[in-house]
Structures are given as C-alpha cells and as structure tokens.
Amino acid sequence: MTADTVTQVLDHVDATLDAALDRLLTLLRVPSISTDPAFAADCDRAAEALVEDLASLGFDAAKHPTPGHPMVVAHDADGPEDGPHVLFYGHYDVQPVDPLNLWHHDPFDPQIEDTPAGRVIRGRGAADDKGQLMTFVEACRAWKAVHGVLPIRVSMFFEGEEESGSPSLVPYMTAHAEDLKADLALICDTGMFDPQTPAITTQLRGLAKLELVVTAPDKDLHSGMYGGAARNPAHVLAKILADLHDETGACTLAGFYDGVPELTNAQRTQWETLGFDAAGFLGGVGLSIPAGEQGRSVLEMIWSRPTCEVNGMTSGYTGAGFKTVLPSKASAKVSFRLVGSQDPQAVLAAMRAHVAARVPADCTVEILDANGAPATVMPIENPAFEAARQALSDEWPRPAAFIGCGGSIPIAGYFQELLGMDALLIGFGRDDDQIHSPNEKYDLESFHKGIRSWVRVLDGLSRL
Amino acid sequence: MTADTVTQVLDHVDATLDAALDRLLTLLRVPSISTDPAFAADCDRAAEALVEDLASLGFDAAKHPTPGHPMVVAHDADGPEDGPHVLFYGHYDVQPVDPLNLWHHDPFDPQIEDTPAGRVIRGRGAADDKGQLMTFVEACRAWKAVHGVLPIRVSMFFEGEEESGSPSLVPYMTAHAEDLKADLALICDTGMFDPQTPAITTQLRGLAKLELVVTAPDKDLHSGMYGGAARNPAHVLAKILADLHDETGACTLAGFYDGVPELTNAQRTQWETLGFDAAGFLGGVGLSIPAGEQGRSVLEMIWSRPTCEVNGMTSGYTGAGFKTVLPSKASAKVSFRLVGSQDPQAVLAAMRAHVAARVPADCTVEILDANGAPATVMPIENPAFEAARQALSDEWPRPAAFIGCGGSIPIAGYFQELLGMDALLIGFGRDDDQIHSPNEKYDLESFHKGIRSWVRVLDGLSRL
C-alpha cells in the first residue's frame, strides 16, 4: 500500500465533505434521548437509520433488540482476511436537553454556525456522540468509494443506552461475545488535548452512582403548623450532602481513597510538558478557584483523582412564587468518578453507610438506581497505540499525546474484561463542545479532520 | 335581645345547611391559586363571586383593584348604629395543588366524603380559607333571613394574596384606612384546639422568607470533564442549609433568638392543662421524634419557638433517569417562623450574612423575594375576648381556650399597627385538614358549627 492509496482517500473525503455533513445533520434531527422513556421510538429510529446506512456500504448490518434500546452490529461483508480485525464502538443516544430555554435554537434542528473560532455544527449529539461516530463511518465510506475494499477487517457496534447507564450492554456483550470479538476496539467518544493536539486517551475514570430519597413526614405539611416539631427531609438531605466533603475538598466516605494511585514521575512529567492552562480551563466556565482536593493540580483533579458530585437534588416547592410547605420528601442524584483500582461497589456501600448514619430513626431512605464501573487503564505498549499515534500526528499540527480523561467510558473496560480486547480511544471533541449542556456543538474541523484521521489510522493499522 | 333571638337563627342555620354547602362548593370550584400568574383570572372570578353574594345580602360590596389580585370590601347597608362595629377578614385565594398525583380527585372538583371521623368537604381551599370565610358569611345570611338586621355593624374585607405573601395588603390598608377602620377585627383562618375544644388564637408566629440562588459555573457541565475541579453549587447550597441548625436543633443564625421570650408560668400551666398529645400529633404524619430544639416541648416548638425551614430546593437534573451533569445553579426557598419581638429584617440580614460567608469568591448568590412580618400577641383583657370565649363555649362540647398558633397571619398584626384594632382569631379548622397539602378537607361539622358559632359570637358582641 502506498502513500497514494491514502492520499486518494483523503482527497475524496475533502471533495465529498458536504454530503457527509448532510448525513450527520439528518442523524442529529432524531431526538434519541435514551434516559427518557418518551423518546424510545426515536432511539429505535436512530438505530434503524444507522443499519440502513451501513448496509448501503456493503456491511452485514442488523438491529438487535434488548430490554432497553436496540444494539446495532455490522460486519464488513468484503473485508480482507489478513491484517487486524477492529471493532468500532459508538453510541447513537444523546443526553436530555433541559434547560431548554438556554438553547439558542431547537436542539434537534441542527445548524451550521460561523463562530470566531470557525464553523461549528450546533445541536444535541453533535459531539456526543453522533458526530464522532460518523467520522469513522464516513472514513470507511470514502475508503470503499475509492478502493472498493477496506485495508483491514472492520466491524461496528453501536449502542443506544450510553447516556443512561448502558443497562443492556454487559448482558448483550456476554451473550454475543463471539459475534463481537475482534483484535482491537476503536472508540470515538473522547476529545483532543487541544485544538492543535490530537490525543489517544489511555486512562479513564470509572463511575459509581445512586439516587437517594429521604422521607420524613408521610405528606407535605404546613410549615407553620408543624415547623420546628416535624423533621424536614430537606435538612436531613442537606446534612448528608454537605458531609460528603471536608474543608480540604476531600471526600469523607470511609475507604474512598483505597486503590487511588499517585501519579508516577513519568506521568507527572509528560502531563507537565502538555502545558495545560488550568486558569483558562476554569475561566472558560466562569470560575477561577479549583474546587477539588487542596494540593492537587487541576489536571490531576480531572484526570487522575476520584470525585464525588451531586448531579441533581430536589425537595418541596420549586415552582414560581413561595409555598411555606414542610416537604415530605427530599431526593438527590449523586455520582462518583473512580480511578485506579477503586471498587464501585465498595464506594456505593460506603455511601449507603454515610446516608444511613444521618437519617433519623423515624425517617426512611430509599437508594435507587445504584450501579457503577471501575476505572480503565490501557496498555500503551501494544504497537497499535504507537501506529495510531503516528497516524494522528500526520494529520494534525502537533504530535498526538497519550492522555487521561475525567469522563467514564465503561465500554473500554468491558472490551478488556468480556472480550479480551484493548481499546484505542480516539476522539476529536474539544473542551468547549458543551456536551451534556445547552448549545452542544462539534467543530466542522473536528468532523472533517476526524474523518481524515480515521483514514490514516485504518492505513496505519493495516501495516502492523 | 333574648336567647330566642339566637335560637331562631341557629334553627335557620340547621334548616338551610344544604344550601349553604352548595354555595361553598361553587366557590371551591374556582382555582384561585394566587402565587401562580396563570390563575390570575380565576382569582378575579372568586372575588367577583363574593361581591355578588354579599350584595345579595344587602351589603355595599365592591371589588377593588390592586397591583396584584383584587380586594373585596363590603359594608352592611342597614346595620344598627349602636354596638361595636366589626371588620371580618378572610382570603379567597388558595395554595398551589402540586403534587397533583397525590390527590384522590381533582382539587377543584370538591366532594362531600363520608369518613370514619364524619363527613368532610374535600378540595383545595375547603379549610384554608374559603370554608372558614363562608362560615361567617352564612352566619350573617341566616341572621338577616330571620331578623332582617344584624345585631351589630358588620363590614367584610377579603384579600386574594394571602398565600403569596400579601404584597398589596399593607399599601391597600394604608391607603384605605378610613374605609376599613372598625372597633374590632374578626379573622377566621385558624383552628380548633381539638375537635371538642374551640379556640381563640391569641399569639401568632411571624414569618420571614427568602429564596437564594447560587451560581458556580456559568453553564451546566459534564461532571466527568469538569468534576473535581469545577465548583458544584449543589455542594455550596447543601453546606449553607446544613449549617442553619446545630446538633441540638437550634438555629445557628447570629442573633436569631434575640427577642424570643420564655413562656410565663401562667402560659406554661394553661398549656399543660390542655393535655396536648405530642405523640399523636407527630404520629399523625408518620413521625415520632420531635425535630426542634432539645429540651422544648412539641407545643412550645410549634406555638412559642421560632423555626427555620427549607420549603423547597432544586439543582441540576431532577427528571427521570440519571444525568451526570455538574449544575450551574442551585436554589432554595427558606422561611423562618418568628415569635415575641424577633425582627424579620434582622433575621433576613443574619441569613444573608450566613449565606455570604459560605459562597466561594468565584461563585455568585442572588437573594430573591425576601420579606417578613413580626409575631403577634393579642390583649386578652379586651372584654370582646371573654365574650367570644363564652359564645364559643356555649356551642361546643368543651370550653373555648386561648391558644398559640405556629402559623403566621400577618393581617392580625397589620390591624393593630395600621388600624389600631385588636383581632379575634376564631377558626374551626382541625390539625388533620391537610391545608397546603394534597387532599385538603374541612369537616362538615366545622362548617356547620362554625356558622352557628359566629351567630353566637355576633350575639355576644352585641351585648358588650
């Protein structure tokens, strides 16, 4: 295979970018919000659309039902026998869109906008994960259009429950291990280090989460008639949540830091060379004071330290005006980002104990939706990592970096545990993409050079 | 005036109860929720209905516009010149009805229900305050039907903003003091001591309230990308709320207990003779452990001690499923019940300081909707109090008691300050009426004997 082989495909990508963009916009118009049952039919529509598109590329593509939203699995019908076999993973579901009033337009009416930083694709899912998912699909489309056959064997695996805890994922992967097994997993759900520096994410934080509901009186009460004498569940919940951190920013749960490793000197040195702009990172969201553990750098806080965050809480009257109610219930959704060998079940157990110790004897507490996945660390000695790093470095202004990621992508760990496959986490998102927030966007450059990057990675892997 | 005079009216009340009940149900069908702008037209409809009804009784009745919901003022056109002139106060607005799913039927489709404790009128406003308001109107209707002329001069004053902080009340009373001035105010917005024991409420807690909104990042963030490094406003709010009480149940605000009097021995003795069932009071709402200040009785906690209660709080994602968002904002509605000479403004200032001391330098906090009214204590040496106590004791199984009330009825204080009138707070509600809660009810006995009680009170006052 010559350099021309790749150049021809890259030229085709450049020449057909508008058509690729139209295909992405069509997918973005489907409101596939997986956590809200009201959008189940839309999730199915998104899966169906991907099956049809992959079939049109000559893949054996099918939609597989689960207790939740369907899985999409596709195998290249005419791929080469030799070379590594890769399984590309992405997710077609998206986050909820509230608060809707903060969006500048309908989240599911995606727009191409000119911004001072360049053109962007604005809409829910543009970056997380439909835009990223399509960079790989379009790379395959272009390669096949030019050469007819992909340089390596490619299968694809898309789920529709990534934003709602992936309840069907492990059962499905376990039941269909043979169908999914390949030599290497490719995952496109992460970001660049900065707009000039592509990245391969080699360590991911795990996630443990639960919802707790405290019930004090068995009905909402008049705070004048009962206030003072009747227990207020909002006070109980506030105490539970306030006690989760001490004055140094550390989490107080018993044994929380068991299995949390210190950075190696090598890691510390490589991260320092990245010249991360902590002030700019916080300043970009209107903050200036790092909130995490004292004595840790911001990069450690988001890449290599565990966290404990309240993701939502509610109690009593939250509507317009004022209602002097003494609430019956108070609830909170709490999640933990995990690192090293922290055990999600141990963390959840410590949280249950923390809660139980703060709920008065005449109140009750329900723990709902408790689950978790451990952190993941990739073996960068696998030659695929260096091949991919070289391919990315050829496409972008600056050499690719091996980085950590604060987010949790449990699938990477599942590929290791259930299918014995390492995963290359390559993505083209940027810190300002506002994923999970109003006005999510994906830079047109991320999409365009993302497609080109995968063309180069496919080529690089074919040479192993 | 002979006993027959009264007996004839009481007999008429008994004979026409069904018609009185129908009039109340019609008023209850109007969803006059004052705190929600969506129901403004309904509030106006309720006011209009009262004007028409009072006019039909020969009152000079009119609806008076305010910046909020209208006031209803009515003067008896043909009342006697001699004897005391009373101004009866009530409110035609009601509390919001959420959580709607906990109601057994439409809150504004009132039903007469048979319960083990007797027949009840079930619906929003049945007890607070439409049912109580109508007990007085029906007493006047019956008296006029039998004798043509009331035994004393009667005026009425109804507002439609009592459940939303009465923003227009003081300006209106100040501007129309001459029109409203009478010798004595009658207020029907309180309860019985127990189902056999009527009560005149002679001390009321005041109220101070505010809403606070903490903003940390300027947008909702991905808790994986920013968690640990970016300040979480839900954590800041939890700390603010958790720190409002110490481990003994006391409020920690600086100077909070300034002006809080201890019970006199006389009060303590009278309250002890009431034989209040603290276990039953808490057990009735599913609780067993008094939540207030250690060393205080439950009756003190709800009648004579100040409180600090969270009435509502919200942050981040509170919908179905889970969203690992790091919220931009967290807010809470907090109110304080005040006693003795506690200064509402001083309490609000202490709260502002408490909040400011706990908000990091790179976060902001807004304080909204902050206002308050002090506690009220009535001069029971005024002979009208003993006359009313005797009248109530004649109607009910047990003698009437002078009691305290945990609720706040600022109007009582305004009558003293702005119009120089004492107020007789007489009501027929019960602890289990679930006012401000789903399935609010008013006992048919409360309505029936409430009307009869006012007939006796009008007679009693005419003898002064």
Side-chain angles (χ1 to χ4, degrees):
Chain A
M1 207 175 296
T2 70
D4 282 356
T5 317
V6 176
T7 308
Q8 290 163 6
V9 181
L10 296 177
D11 292 346
H12 184 81
V13 169
D14 299 347
T16 58
L17 182 62
D18 288 351
L21 194 51
D22 288 342
R23 285 184 288 266
L24 172 57
L25 294 180
T26 301
L27 184 60
L28 291 176
R29 292 189 186 100
V30 183
S32 46
I33 301 171
S34 59
T35 198
D36 187 340
F39 295 88
D42 298 297
C43 291
D44 192 78
R45 262 204 304 142
E48 190 60 44
L50 288 166
V51 167
E52 288 167 15
D53 190 30
L54 293 173
S56 74
L57 294 183
F59 279 75
D60 292 329
K63 195 177 66 178
H64 301 275
T66 74
H69 304 301
M71 302 289 179
V72 171
V73 178
H75 301 292
D76 186 15
D78 47 21
E81 279 313 301
D82 60 342
H85 176 198
V86 299
L87 176 70
F88 177 82
Y89 164 90
H91 64 90
Y92 63 79
D93 62 317
V94 300
Q95 279 276 319
V97 293
D98 53 282
L100 196 54
N101 60 311
L102 295 186
W103 285 81
H104 302 142
H105 60 71
D106 179 348
F108 297 109
D109 178 20
Q111 307 287 334
I112 308 300
E113 296 176 9
D114 285 306
T115 76
R119 308 194 83 186
V120 303
I121 307 156
R122 177 103 50 199
R124 174 57 88 221
D128 184 14
D129 181 46
K130 291 172 177 174
Q132 302 241 61
L133 179 158
M134 289 303 289
T135 57
F136 186 81
V137 173
E138 295 298 341
C140 293
R141 189 191 315 274
W143 195 293
K144 285 197 163 209
V146 174
H147 301 299
V149 182
L150 293 173
I152 57 174
R153 287 171 58 205
V154 173
S155 295
M156 301 199 201
F157 178 39
F158 303 142
E159 74 162 314
E161 300 179 328
E162 199 273 346
E163 302 294 4
S164 52
S166 299
S168 309
L169 187 60
V170 168
Y172 186 87
M173 289 177 73
T174 307
H176 302 81
E178 276 319 298
D179 186 44
L180 296 173
K181 182 91 179 69
D183 302 314
L184 180 71
L186 306 180
I187 301 176
C188 192
D189 199 17
T190 51
M192 306 268 290
F193 172 71
D194 66 32
Q196 283 73 44
T197 314
I200 300 174
T201 301
T202 59
Q203 54 188 66
L204 290 159
R205 291 198 288 196
L207 180 70
K209 65 184 179 64
L210 55 71
E211 176 167 5
L212 60 125
V213 183
V214 178
T215 303
D218 57 17
K219 63 180 79 69
D220 286 355
L221 304 175
H222 185 302
S223 71
M225 299 302 149
Y226 288 87
R231 187 75 54 181
N232 187 323
H235 300 178
V236 175
L237 182 64
K239 176 72 173 162
I240 289 170
L241 300 180
D243 287 353
L244 283 171
H245 295 86
D246 66 20
E247 59 290 339
T248 72
C251 177
T252 60
L253 293 187
F256 185 70
Y257 292 97
D258 294 351
V260 177
E262 283 300 325
L263 281 184
T264 64
N265 290 335
Q267 279 174 308
R268 195 177 295 282
T269 306
Q270 196 227 326
W271 287 5
E272 276 161 6
T273 61
L274 289 172
F276 178 72
D277 174 14
F281 177 76
L282 288 177
V285 295
L287 296 170
S288 60
I289 305 169
E293 300 164 86
Q294 287 172 16
R296 302 286 178 180
S297 73
V298 169
L299 212 51
E300 282 180 275
M301 291 176 184
I302 59 175
W303 282 2
S304 66
R305 300 299 297 177
T307 70
C308 164
E309 298 287 347
V310 175
N311 304 113
M313 64 179 184
T314 185
S315 182
Y317 183 67
T318 60
F322 212 96
K323 184 174 172 183
T324 54
V325 65
L326 195 159
S328 170
K329 294 179 183 295
S331 66
K333 301 175 198 277
V334 181
S335 65
F336 305 85
R337 300 287 171 171
L338 308 178
V339 302
S341 59
Q342 275 182 300
D343 174 1
Q345 295 312 319
V347 168
L348 291 172
M351 179 63 179
R352 289 174 188 271
H354 173 93
V355 171
R358 288 162 178 80
V359 176
D362 60 345
C363 300
T364 59
V365 62
E366 289 173 284
I367 303 287
L368 309 169
D369 203 13
N371 55 56
T376 305
V377 178
M378 291 298 159
I380 56 181
E381 56 279 11
N382 175 332
F385 283 77
E386 183 51 34
R389 205 182 66 75
Q390 188 53 57
L392 293 171
S393 301
D394 292 343
E395 174 64 23
W396 296 84
R398 295 184 54 193
F402 291 142
I403 67 171
C405 171
S408 305
I409 306 181
I411 182 75
Y414 299 149
F415 281 135
Q416 287 183 319
E417 299 155 31
L418 304 176
L419 304 181
M421 301 159 60
D422 293 333
L424 272 174
L425 291 143
I426 296 173
F428 311 99
R430 297 185 182 179
D431 287 342
D432 65 355
D433 283 347
Q434 295 172 214
I435 63 172
H436 294 212
S437 299
N439 303 307
E440 176 180 354
K441 61 87 175 167
Y442 195 48
D443 289 80
L444 189 56
E445 182 180 65
S446 294
F447 185 61
H448 183 188
K449 292 175 75 70
I451 299 169
R452 291 173 53 96
S453 296
W454 283 121
V455 169
R456 296 183 187 272
V457 170
L458 288 172
D459 174 58
L461 294 177
S462 73
R463 301 164 186 274
L464 289 177
Chain B
M1 207 175 293
T2 70
D4 282 355
T5 317
V6 176
T7 307
Q8 290 163 6
V9 181
L10 296 176
D11 293 345
H12 185 81
V13 169
D14 299 347
T16 58
L17 182 63
D18 289 349
L21 194 51
D22 288 341
R23 286 185 288 268
L24 172 57
L25 294 181
T26 301
L27 185 59
L28 291 176
R29 292 190 186 99
V30 184
S32 47
I33 301 171
S34 58
T35 198
D36 186 339
F39 295 88
D42 298 297
C43 291
D44 192 80
R45 253 196 320 136
E48 191 59 43
L50 287 166
V51 167
E52 287 168 14
D53 190 31
L54 293 173
S56 74
L57 293 184
F59 279 74
D60 292 329
K63 195 178 64 178
H64 301 276
T66 75
H69 305 301
M71 302 290 179
V72 172
V73 178
H75 301 293
D76 185 16
D78 47 21
E81 279 313 301
D82 59 343
H85 176 198
V86 298
L87 176 70
F88 177 81
Y89 163 90
H91 64 90
Y92 61 80
D93 61 318
V94 300
Q95 278 277 319
V97 293
D98 53 283
L100 195 54
N101 60 310
L102 295 187
W103 284 81
H104 302 144
H105 60 71
D106 177 349
F108 296 109
D109 177 21
Q111 308 287 334
I112 308 301
E113 297 176 9
D114 285 306
T115 76
R119 307 194 83 188
V120 303
I121 307 156
R122 177 101 53 197
R124 174 58 88 218
D128 183 14
D129 179 50
K130 290 171 176 174
Q132 302 241 64
L133 179 158
M134 289 303 290
T135 57
F136 186 81
V137 173
E138 295 299 341
C140 292
R141 190 191 315 275
W143 196 294
K144 285 196 163 208
V146 174
H147 302 299
V149 182
L150 293 174
I152 58 174
R153 287 170 60 204
V154 173
S155 296
M156 301 198 202
F157 178 39
F158 303 143
E159 74 162 314
E161 300 178 329
E162 198 273 345
E163 302 294 4
S164 53
S166 298
S168 308
L169 187 60
V170 168
Y172 186 88
M173 290 177 73
T174 307
H176 302 81
E178 275 319 299
D179 186 44
L180 296 172
K181 181 91 180 69
D183 303 313
L184 181 71
L186 306 180
I187 301 177
C188 192
D189 198 17
T190 51
M192 307 268 291
F193 172 72
D194 66 33
Q196 283 72 44
T197 314
I200 301 174
T201 301
T202 59
Q203 53 188 69
L204 289 158
R205 292 198 287 195
L207 180 69
K209 64 183 179 66
L210 55 70
E211 178 167 2
L212 60 125
V213 182
V214 177
T215 303
D218 57 17
K219 63 180 78 70
D220 286 356
L221 304 175
H222 185 301
S223 71
M225 298 304 151
Y226 289 87
R231 186 75 55 182
N232 187 323
H235 301 179
V236 175
L237 182 64
K239 176 73 173 161
I240 289 169
L241 301 179
D243 286 354
L244 283 171
H245 296 86
D246 66 20
E247 59 292 338
T248 72
C251 177
T252 59
L253 293 187
F256 184 70
Y257 292 96
D258 294 352
V260 177
E262 282 301 323
L263 280 184
T264 64
N265 291 335
Q267 279 174 307
R268 194 177 296 279
T269 307
Q270 197 228 324
W271 287 5
E272 277 162 8
T273 61
L274 290 172
F276 178 71
D277 174 12
F281 177 76
L282 288 177
V285 296
L287 295 170
S288 60
I289 306 169
E293 300 164 87
Q294 288 172 15
R296 301 287 178 180
S297 73
V298 169
L299 213 52
E300 282 181 278
M301 291 176 184
I302 60 175
W303 283 1
S304 66
R305 301 299 297 177
T307 70
C308 164
E309 298 288 346
V310 175
N311 303 115
M313 63 180 185
T314 185
S315 182
Y317 183 67
T318 60
F322 211 96
K323 185 175 171 184
T324 53
V325 65
L326 195 160
S328 170
K329 294 178 183 296
S331 66
K333 300 175 197 277
V334 182
S335 64
F336 305 86
R337 299 289 171 171
L338 308 178
V339 302
S341 60
Q342 276 182 299
D343 175 359
Q345 295 312 319
V347 169
L348 291 173
M351 178 64 178
R352 289 174 189 272
H354 173 91
V355 171
R358 288 162 178 80
V359 175
D362 61 345
C363 299
T364 59
V365 60
E366 290 173 284
I367 303 287
L368 309 169
D369 201 12
N371 55 57
T376 306
V377 178
M378 291 298 160
I380 57 180
E381 56 279 8
N382 175 332
F385 283 78
E386 182 51 34
R389 206 182 65 74
Q390 187 54 58
L392 292 171
S393 301
D394 292 343
E395 174 64 23
W396 296 84
R398 296 184 53 193
F402 291 143
I403 66 170
C405 172
S408 305
I409 306 182
I411 182 75
Y414 300 148
F415 280 134
Q416 287 183 318
E417 299 155 30
L418 304 175
L419 304 180
M421 301 159 61
D422 293 333
L424 272 175
L425 290 142
I426 298 172
F428 311 98
R430 297 185 182 178
D431 288 341
D432 65 357
D433 283 347
Q434 294 173 215
I435 63 172
H436 294 212
S437 299
N439 303 308
E440 175 179 356
K441 62 86 176 168
Y442 195 49
D443 288 82
L444 190 56
E445 182 180 66
S446 294
F447 185 61
H448 183 190
K449 292 175 75 68
I451 299 169
R452 290 172 53 95
S453 296
W454 283 121
V455 169
R456 295 183 187 274
V457 170
L458 288 171
D459 174 57
L461 294 176
S462 72
R463 300 163 185 274
L464 289 177

